[in-house]
Each structure stands twice: as C-alpha cells, then as structure tokens.
C-alpha cells in the first residue's frame, strides 16, 4: 500500500466517521469516557490562562464525565464540551476536530486509536496588495496617484 494512499482525504473521512459513530454510541449509552487529543488542534473558549496551558504537552487526556458529559456536543466533524481546569476550576468550552482525537478510552481501556490528523482545509491567503491589484479599477487608481 502506498504511503500517499494512507494520507488520502477519503481514508481520513472514513476514520472521522468511525470516531463520530463511537462517540455517538458512548453518549447515547450514558457511558463516561476519556479522550486523548492533540493540543495543537484544541480550542478553548474562553482561552485558558497561561499557567494552565503551560501544563499541557503535545497531547492531553480529557475525562468526559459528569458535567463535561452532560455538556458534550457531537457534530459531524467536531466535538465540544465544557470543563473546569486547574485549582480554580476555570471554566472553558473545549472544541476540537474529531480527527484530533487520538484515543478513546473506556474504563482504562483504549477502544479506539486514531493515527490521522485533522483534514486541512485549503485556504489561500493573499497579502492585501495582491488582493487590491486584482481589481482593474484599483490598478488605475494607483497609476493616477504616481
């Protein structure tokens, strides 16, 4: 099997669906669980204080139980939940793409392992001058100014 095939968007989508189905099953059966996630893809709203973020490494384990479980929202390509962090129990909503979940754990046993990274959405960023010059009217204005 070619390595390029393993990185295909279609195979990632299959794995994303598997993660979705597993989470949906656990949530619908009221089963608490843990998820190991890549922190680089994890968003916190409001952002966590630096003192808490400094304790995170490349991956972090979240236990989805009690209030985090009750607040969990599963979407087609993302998962979110509310949690408290640190001694102060700083409240934040955690949101991450499904493919950022590397493991799902139930009762200290991994039931799902994911080796894929989230699907990169292609965005073409241009600097403002390039964007400005795309319009012929703007080009004329700049020529007159010289």
């Amino acid at each position: 099997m070619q390595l390029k095939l393993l990185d295909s968007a279609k195979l990632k989508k299959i794995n994303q669906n598997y993660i979705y189905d597993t989470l949906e099953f656990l949530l619908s059966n009221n089963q608490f669980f843990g998820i190991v996630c890549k922190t680089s893809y994890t968003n916190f709203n409001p952002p966590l204080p630096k003192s808490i973020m400094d304790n995170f490494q490349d991956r972090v384990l979240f236990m989805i139980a009690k209030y985090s479980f009750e607040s969990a929202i599963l979407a087609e390509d993302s998962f979110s939940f509310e949690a408290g962090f640190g001694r102060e129990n700083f409240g934040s909503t955690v949101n991450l793409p499904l493919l950022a979940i590397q493991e799902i754990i139930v009762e200290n046993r991994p039931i799902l392992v994911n080796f894929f990274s989230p699907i990169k959405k292609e965005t073409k960023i241009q600097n403002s001058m390039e964007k400005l010059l795309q319009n012929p009217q703007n080009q004329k204005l700049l020529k007159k100014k010289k």
Side-chain angles (χ1 to χ4, degrees):
M1 183 179 267
Q2 296 177 359
L3 190 56
K4 201 173 198 176
L5 182 62
L6 292 176
D7 198 35
S8 73
K10 185 173 183 176
L11 190 55
K12 284 184 177 189
K13 184 67 174 166
I14 291 168
N15 206 50
Q16 179 177 295
N17 291 339
Y18 178 47
I19 295 168
Y20 177 93
D21 290 344
T22 302
L23 291 174
E24 184 179 51
F25 176 81
L26 294 171
L27 292 168
S28 66
N29 284 285
N30 295 315
Q31 174 63 56
F32 295 165
F33 57 94
I35 55 175
V36 176
C37 308
K38 292 182 180 182
T39 54
S40 59
Y41 294 101
T42 306
N43 295 309
F44 300 92
N45 187 17
L48 298 180
K50 184 176 176 0
S51 60
I52 295 174
M53 286 300 293
D54 287 345
N55 292 319
F56 291 169
Q57 296 181 359
D58 181 48
R59 298 183 315 161
V60 64
L61 169 66
F62 294 110
M63 294 308 298
I64 312 302
K66 300 180 181 177
Y67 184 69
S68 293
F69 185 88
E70 292 172 17
S71 67
I73 298 173
L74 179 60
E76 181 182 340
D77 61 353
S78 66
F79 183 62
S80 65
F81 55 93
E82 294 179 29
F85 297 90
R87 289 185 179 163
E88 302 83 28
N89 202 27
F90 183 89
S92 185
T93 299
V94 181
N95 191 342
L96 60 143
L98 292 179
L99 286 173
I101 299 171
Q102 293 187 312
E103 287 183 54
I104 299 176
I105 301 166
V106 175
E107 297 178 1
N108 296 322
R109 291 190 175 115
I111 64 165
L112 182 145
V113 178
N114 169 37
F115 297 102
F116 295 96
S117 293
I119 298 168
K120 293 179 183 174
K121 295 182 179 174
E122 292 184 30
T123 56
K124 192 173 183 180
I125 299 174
Q126 298 176 329
N127 71 37
S128 57
M129 186 56 85
E130 286 177 351
K131 195 71 175 166
L132 186 68
L133 292 175
Q134 284 181 347
N135 184 335
Q137 297 296 331
N138 292 339
Q139 289 177 0
K140 291 178 189 176
L141 291 172
L142 289 172
K143 287 179 185 177
K144 287 182 184 179
K145 194 173 184 178
K146 288 182 181 180

